[in-house]
Amino acid sequence: MITIKAFEFNYFQENTFVLYDDTKEAVIIDCGCLRPSEEKELSDFIAENKLTVKHLLCTHLHLDHIFGNPFVFKTYGLSPQAHRLDVEQLPPPDKQAQAFGLPGHYQHIPVQKLLVGNEVIKFGHSELLVLTVPGHSPGSVAFYNKKNGFAIVGDALFAGSIGRTDLWGGNQEVLIAAINDKLLSLPDETVIYPGHGPETRVIDEKLNNPYL
């Protein structure tokens, strides 16, 4: 059984996830902690639950989802894993920050492992399947666990909405096609954990999402 802990971090109220199983091996997905208090909240949770973090995974490389990558690299020695197209096509953190009018310098931690889709990420007794869901960004991915019936989808799909497509390499037509192909094809009761806002289910988005 996988336990999912969600945190809401940074200016953008971004969802950061820690997943772990009974072995206490864990993954961090979309580490958005920015302030020292947020870094402490994350590290305290990991320490209190005696977790060993094995992977730092990124659904995509927009700034609000990678604010915490330098902290994870410094604290746990892990470099991010993300899709090749985001690595190649998205601006570095400082240039993204300038586009959003954010002050300060944001350290860039290079991606260690390039994802292409259909990889299986293993930790403890658990696995996550990488699904490519481009459109919000060129290389957006989701992490799916069939056994526990959930997917961490970044900013591709939200409860009642879809990701914005006006940023670097975004494309609404591509996004909607990818959502239909890769996410709405999952079992109806699959729980969708988005990058912002509350969780939802595949069946709820099939029935109620006005964009789909």
Side-chain angles (χ1 to χ4, degrees):
M1 185 71 182
I2 295 177
T3 299
I4 302 173
K5 171 64 176 177
F7 302 85
E8 189 178 272
F9 287 150
N10 71 55
Y11 311 112
F12 299 92
Q13 298 179 300
E14 178 267 355
N15 292 332
T16 292
F17 297 97
V18 175
L19 281 54
Y20 61 99
D21 65 15
D22 59 337
T23 68
K24 299 294 187 177
E25 289 192 357
V27 300
I28 301 173
I29 301 179
D30 286 359
C31 191
C33 56
L34 176 61
R35 307 171 182 92
S37 61
E38 294 174 343
E39 295 173 349
K40 185 177 187 301
E41 185 180 357
L42 177 66
S43 58
D44 282 355
F45 178 84
I46 290 169
E48 288 164 5
N49 288 278
K50 298 180 172 58
L51 304 181
T52 301
V53 185
K54 305 298 288 186
H55 301 281
L56 172 58
L57 306 175
C58 303
T59 62
H60 63 298
L61 296 178
H62 286 158
L63 185 62
D64 53 328
H65 292 256
I66 62 171
F67 276 130
N69 286 0
F71 175 74
V72 173
F73 180 74
K74 179 179 68 176
T75 307
Y76 304 107
L78 295 173
S79 296
Q81 302 176 37
H83 194 278
R84 173 182 61 85
L85 292 179
D86 269 19
V87 174
E88 293 175 353
Q89 298 184 30
L90 295 189
D94 275 351
K95 292 205 169 171
Q96 291 192 42
Q98 290 171 12
F100 283 105
L102 298 178
H105 168 67
Y106 300 91
Q107 184 182 357
H108 175 57
I109 303 297
V111 169
Q112 179 186 48
K113 180 180 179 182
L114 295 173
L115 304 175
V116 297
N118 293 319
E119 295 95 338
V120 175
I121 309 291
K122 297 184 178 183
F123 62 102
H125 298 137
S126 303
E127 297 182 347
L128 297 170
L129 176 65
V130 179
L131 306 175
T132 53
V133 195
H136 174 65
S137 73
S140 288
V141 300
F143 299 101
Y144 173 56
N145 181 272
K146 180 178 180 180
K147 183 177 180 181
N148 290 264
F150 70 85
I152 312 286
V153 305
D155 290 358
L157 179 63
F158 301 114
S161 188
I162 62 173
R164 62 187 294 183
T165 54
D166 59 337
L167 299 173
W168 308 274
N171 185 304
Q172 183 167 319
E173 193 172 306
V174 168
L175 176 58
I176 290 173
I179 291 170
N180 280 297
D181 181 38
K182 297 295 178 64
L183 300 182
L184 298 192
S185 62
L186 299 175
D188 282 350
E189 295 304 314
T190 302
V191 179
I192 299 295
Y193 291 95
H196 306 267
E199 65 194 63
T200 182
R201 296 180 306 159
V202 166
I203 186 62
D204 295 325
E205 299 316 302
K206 282 182 177 179
L207 295 176
N208 302 315
N209 194 311
Y211 293 92
L212 304 172

